[in-house]
Amino acid sequence: MLLRLPSKLKFDRSRAGFRPRARGVELRGEDSHVKAWLTRMATGRPRSGFRPQARGVQMRDLGRELERFHWRLAVCAAGVLLLFFLLLLRFFYLQVLQHDYYLTLAENNRISILPVVPNRGLIVDRNGVVLAHNYLAYTLEIAPKESGPVDKVLDHLSEIVDITPRDRKRFRKLLEEHRELDHYPIRTRLSDEEVARFSVNRYRFPGVYLNARLFRHYPNGSVASHIIGYIGRINEREMKRLERSGEAANYRGADYIGKIGLEGSYEEELHGTAGMEEVETDAGGRAVRTLRTTPAESGNNLHLAVDLRLQEVAEKAFAGRRGALVAIDPSTGGVLALVSEPGFDPNLFVEGIDSQNWDALNNSPDKPLNNRALRGMYPPGSTFKPFMALAALELGTRSPDYTIYDPGYFMLSGSTHRYRDWKAGGHGLVDMHKSIVISCDTYYYGLAQELGIDNIHRFISQFGLGTPTGIDIDGEAGGLLPSQEWKMRRFKQRWFVGDTISVGIGQGYNLATPLQLAFATAILANKGVVYRPHIVREVEDAQSGERRTIEPDPYNTFPISEKNFEIVRDAMIDVNKPGGTAASAFAGAEYSVAGKTGTAQVIAIKQNEKYDESKVDERHRDHALYIAFAPAEAPKIALAILVENGGHGGSAAAPIARAVFDYYLLGKLPKSPKAPDDHAGAGAAPAAGASPDQTPPGEDDESD
């Protein structure tokens, strides 16, 4: 488009070009009016004060513009040089000053440090029978950061490998609880066929890995389950505990930790020391070759004092009844058997127990997860009487020949309350020996009053009743051996004589665990020499094979008169002979047994009521107890047995002891155990000369 200048502006042609008819030419560096006018015409924007008919025309100052261009070029060149210099400085800093640091980072990108999980130590019984070991199996694991959408991966994987809803649920739980992990197992213990199918299709699943892992196995199932315990996945609370103790590094790559039993108590021994493997990887993160390996150190092996075969005999002898048994070697304190019935299968917990099995175990009225031998606290009943008799002899309160007349009850002076004997008509004349053999309650009512609660507490506490024994597995309850000071601290009440009467027959506030009763029986068999009970006999170093013995020496001794010991022991021997409360259980025994039966009430009976077992709910019936050591002259085994709601100690608990003694002392396997017969009610005549050890509550009288 051509622009026409106004007609009033006329130019003359000359050698220099066109000149306006102006008297002079205005030369300046600013834009000319013509240029401004042209710009206005092109853009359509007016400019105030612009007058196209000006006389002068502005001309460009090329020299000044060139000078300005040179300055700009110099500034740009200087900027480029400065930036290039800074770049060189940065290169120098990275390549020279930070060379070692970035070399390490580069090596770390090329080399992966993988933890090597140690082999968990074995658990074997005293004869070398394996109770817990490890086996190798393949695990399918997913790295969510590499695999992509997890749901889609799981859907495709389920076409090749069987993935159950339980596997998905457990996988989701792991994702939520352990966000710090790189790999999460979706299937464990794959079969050979599943391994082959996945290996063929492995290229389709980036971020999904097939790894060989060690798994814990308990080959004997529920046998000795409360001794061994189990392992399980490390939870958040346990991980925080490991971090506080500085042991978290040793658990890198490990998924499991001991929870209860020996697996929990000896975790530090069993776990071992983690190793390390340097692996060169390619750009995709896949291992190319192993550069260096620091092998893991296997955990130490535990050799137990427990005899697995004896444990099996004892568990079968319960024949499905609830209860507990603890057998101890009196000469060492080693636990030969520790039974809590019913038990559970620890294999259920290794990979995380499913909700169905958990509900069955946790909601069962039989409480199979409760370790009755360690945590169950029960009145010791008449098994308390031998210790009372020994206290009377040692403290000089009564002589062996001291005789009372038993009318079938005991009354405090000035009180009308009757503390009943288990036999309604009484036993007539009773001395100390007979009081143990027939389990006369009336004899011990009067003896308890004479001794007083403080003397009872002071003397019998030496046998370990009322305090934890210190056994080498966690969770032991302390029991209760009452005193005046305890009652004031606990209830803010003074002690009454009626409280003492009940304690004298093992009732009232008196509580003990089966472990404590077995411990006290072992001390009695040792005549006051105390060995701390322990389940682990030796710890074997996995590297050197050296063995460290646990608790080889007694840690306490208190004197017991040989004469007084023999008086009590002889009476306990006659308990198992004709006329004693356990005579039927040990008829024809080829060895001598010193024992004492007991029956502990679960619910109180009113003064004018008579106990009738057939009319009482099964779980409200009396507990059956029995303590013993054998052979009586040179004890090799001491035990305590409790059968929950079993009734009478002589008919329910003593036969279990017979099966245990027969196997341990003679090697005889028992016949299939029979369920106990229905027991007679309180005051009924005992069968075959045995006493039902019926013990009244007596604790409802607080008179002086």
Side-chain angles (χ1 to χ4, degrees):
M1 180 178 179
L2 298 177
L3 297 178
R4 300 182 61 183
L5 295 175
S7 58
K8 290 184 180 181
L9 295 176
K10 296 181 179 180
F11 297 89
D12 293 333
R13 185 177 182 88
S14 65
R15 294 179 60 184
F18 291 96
R19 292 182 180 178
R21 286 185 177 181
R23 292 182 179 180
V25 177
E26 182 180 12
L27 297 176
R28 56 184 180 179
E30 298 178 356
D31 293 339
S32 65
H33 291 291
V34 176
K35 184 177 181 181
W37 179 80
L38 292 175
T39 302
R40 183 177 65 84
M41 292 294 292
T43 60
R45 291 179 298 179
R47 181 177 178 182
S48 61
F50 175 73
R51 292 177 296 177
Q53 296 184 2
R55 291 183 178 182
V57 178
Q58 292 181 342
M59 300 295 291
R60 296 174 59 188
D61 190 343
L62 297 178
R64 189 170 182 180
E65 289 184 3
L66 183 60
E67 182 181 0
R68 182 182 298 173
F69 172 76
H70 288 162
W71 273 107
R72 290 175 178 174
L73 184 63
V75 171
C76 291
V80 171
L81 291 175
L82 178 61
L83 293 176
F84 186 72
F85 179 72
L86 293 176
L87 185 61
L88 288 176
L89 288 178
R90 182 62 177 170
F91 284 161
F92 178 79
Y93 174 77
L94 295 176
Q95 296 293 332
V96 179
L97 300 182
Q98 293 291 312
H99 175 269
D100 295 336
Y101 172 74
Y102 286 101
L103 177 63
T104 303
L105 290 181
E107 287 296 314
N108 289 340
N109 290 334
R110 184 179 67 91
I111 300 174
S112 296
I113 307 297
L114 303 178
V116 179
V117 180
N119 194 0
R120 194 171 181 84
L122 305 179
I123 301 177
V124 299
D125 83 335
R126 67 187 299 116
N127 300 313
V129 179
V130 176
L131 306 180
H133 68 101
N134 313 294
Y135 68 95
L136 196 65
Y138 283 103
T139 297
L140 200 60
E141 301 178 0
I142 297 177
K145 295 179 181 179
E146 305 174 22
S147 64
V150 174
D151 291 331
K152 186 176 180 180
V153 173
L154 292 178
D155 291 339
H156 290 315
L157 273 177
S158 61
E159 300 172 359
I160 300 173
V161 178
D162 183 24
I163 298 177
T164 64
R166 181 195 171 201
D167 295 328
R168 291 176 181 254
K169 183 177 180 180
R170 184 178 59 189
F171 181 80
R172 291 294 181 188
K173 186 177 180 180
L174 286 174
L175 283 176
E176 294 174 0
E177 295 180 354
H178 301 276
R179 299 182 181 275
E180 73 281 358
L181 299 180
D182 295 326
H183 293 191
Y184 297 85
I186 181 62
R187 267 292 312 278
T188 58
R189 292 177 284 189
L190 273 69
S191 66
D192 292 340
E193 181 180 350
E194 289 174 323
V195 171
R197 285 203 303 266
F198 176 77
S199 298
V200 172
N201 294 274
R202 189 171 188 173
Y203 69 94
R204 297 170 47 195
F205 300 98
V208 181
Y209 300 92
L210 190 65
N211 294 323
R213 301 281 188 184
L214 288 171
F215 292 92
R216 198 68 160 171
H217 183 241
Y218 305 99
N220 302 290
S222 63
V223 178
S225 56
H226 286 284
I227 296 176
I228 303 168
Y230 57 84
I231 67 170
R233 292 191 177 276
I234 302 174
N235 57 38
E236 186 176 354
R237 177 177 54 83
E238 289 163 338
M239 182 55 68
K240 289 181 179 179
R241 175 173 58 82
L242 292 172
E243 291 173 353
R244 287 194 301 267
S245 62
E247 299 177 4
N250 196 34
Y251 282 80
R252 284 194 60 198
D255 298 324
Y256 306 99
I257 194 171
K259 299 289 186 177
I260 64 172
L262 296 178
E263 293 279 26
S265 299
Y266 283 85
E267 171 64 23
E268 185 176 348
E269 296 282 359
L270 290 167
H271 179 70
T273 304
M276 177 268 294
E277 192 175 56
E278 290 186 6
V279 178
E280 186 176 5
T281 58
D282 59 15
R286 293 178 291 271
V288 176
R289 62 188 176 112
T290 301
L291 302 178
R292 184 166 63 92
T293 300
T294 301
E297 296 182 5
S298 299
N300 296 331
N301 301 324
L302 302 183
H303 294 259
L304 309 187
V306 173
D307 185 327
L308 180 64
R309 197 72 178 113
L310 180 68
Q311 179 83 17
E312 290 178 332
V313 168
E315 291 186 10
K316 289 180 180 178
F318 276 86
R321 294 169 292 182
R322 302 179 304 277
L325 175 148
V326 179
I328 297 177
D329 182 350
S331 63
T332 63
V335 175
L336 302 172
L338 189 148
V339 175
S340 178
E341 282 292 308
F344 61 91
D345 186 355
N347 291 299
L348 295 173
F349 292 87
V350 174
E351 288 301 305
I353 188 169
D354 60 87
S355 58
Q356 183 177 359
N357 283 316
W358 172 250
D359 290 339
L361 291 174
N362 196 45
N363 298 325
S364 170
D366 294 335
K367 305 297 181 184
L369 296 178
N370 180 31
N371 191 334
R372 290 170 165 83
L374 265 68
R375 300 186 184 94
M377 295 194 295
Y378 309 88
S382 294
T383 62
F384 198 69
K385 293 174 182 177
F387 303 99
M388 286 287 293
L390 189 60
L393 294 173
E394 288 287 305
L395 299 177
T397 304
R398 282 187 180 178
S399 67
D401 299 328
Y402 182 87
T403 304
I404 68 160
Y405 177 78
D406 173 23
Y409 59 86
F410 175 83
M411 295 177 64
L412 288 169
S413 177
S415 172
T416 59
H417 181 85
R418 289 188 176 187
Y419 296 88
R420 294 173 296 182
D421 192 278
W422 67 267
K423 187 176 181 180
H427 297 90
L429 296 176
V430 179
D431 61 6
M432 182 174 287
H433 182 91
K434 185 178 179 180
S435 73
I436 295 176
V437 174
I438 64 172
S439 194
C440 176
D441 296 328
T442 305
Y443 184 92
Y444 290 95
Y445 291 143
L447 177 58
Q449 182 185 13
E450 294 176 35
L451 282 171
I453 189 61
D454 288 336
N455 284 330
I456 294 173
H457 177 85
R458 189 179 304 112
F459 181 82
I460 296 182
S461 62
Q462 298 178 100
F463 291 88
L465 296 177
T467 56
T469 65
I471 194 171
D472 52 346
I473 54 177
D474 298 330
E476 181 187 5
L480 175 60
L481 185 62
S483 65
Q484 292 192 64
E485 187 272 335
W486 167 83
K487 187 178 181 184
M488 180 58 68
R489 185 179 67 251
R490 177 67 177 81
F491 297 107
K492 308 300 180 184
Q493 296 178 359
R494 66 187 181 91
W495 188 266
F496 298 102
V497 176
D499 297 333
T500 307
I501 303 304
S502 301
V503 170
I505 60 168
Q507 291 282 165
Y509 295 117
N510 217 340
L511 294 172
T513 66
L515 172 62
Q516 288 175 334
L517 288 174
F519 182 43
T521 306
I523 297 173
L524 179 62
N526 270 343
K527 306 175 187 178
V529 180
V530 184
Y531 289 88
R532 193 183 308 277
H534 54 276
I535 295 177
V536 177
R537 184 172 62 174
E538 295 175 328
V539 177
E540 179 186 4
D541 188 284
Q543 311 305 314
S544 64
E546 296 180 359
R547 295 189 180 186
R548 182 176 75 255
T549 304
I550 303 294
E551 299 282 358
D553 300 318
Y555 76 93
N556 189 24
T557 301
F558 60 93
I560 295 178
S561 167
E562 182 73 24
K563 180 181 178 180
N564 293 336
F565 168 76
E566 290 178 356
I567 292 171
V568 174
R569 183 197 62 188
D570 291 345
M572 294 176 69
I573 291 174
D574 287 347
V575 167
N576 307 290
K577 293 182 177 180
T581 55
S584 60
F586 286 92
E590 302 176 31
Y591 46 85
S592 60
V593 179
K596 182 68 188 77
T597 58
T599 302
Q601 286 184 329
V602 176
I603 57 174
I605 301 174
K606 296 180 180 179
Q607 278 281 291
N608 298 322
E609 287 185 356
K610 187 176 181 180
Y611 178 83
D612 187 352
E613 186 177 274
S614 63
K615 297 180 180 179
V616 178
D617 181 77
E618 188 270 338
R619 294 184 184 272
H620 290 160
R621 295 174 185 172
D622 297 338
H623 297 320
L625 299 103
Y626 183 73
I627 63 170
F629 55 87
E633 296 77 14
K636 295 181 180 178
I637 180 174
L639 55 73
I641 300 171
L642 169 104
V643 180
E644 280 189 5
N645 313 116
H648 312 141
S651 58
I656 298 176
R658 174 67 185 270
V660 171
F661 285 155
D662 279 355
Y663 175 77
Y664 190 74
L665 299 176
L666 305 176
K668 291 183 178 180
L669 290 174
K671 297 178 181 179
S672 298
K674 297 180 180 180
D677 298 332
D678 292 336
H679 310 305
S691 162
D693 278 319
Q694 191 66 32
T695 51
E699 66 270 20
D700 57 343
D701 193 319
E702 296 182 348
S703 64
D704 290 321

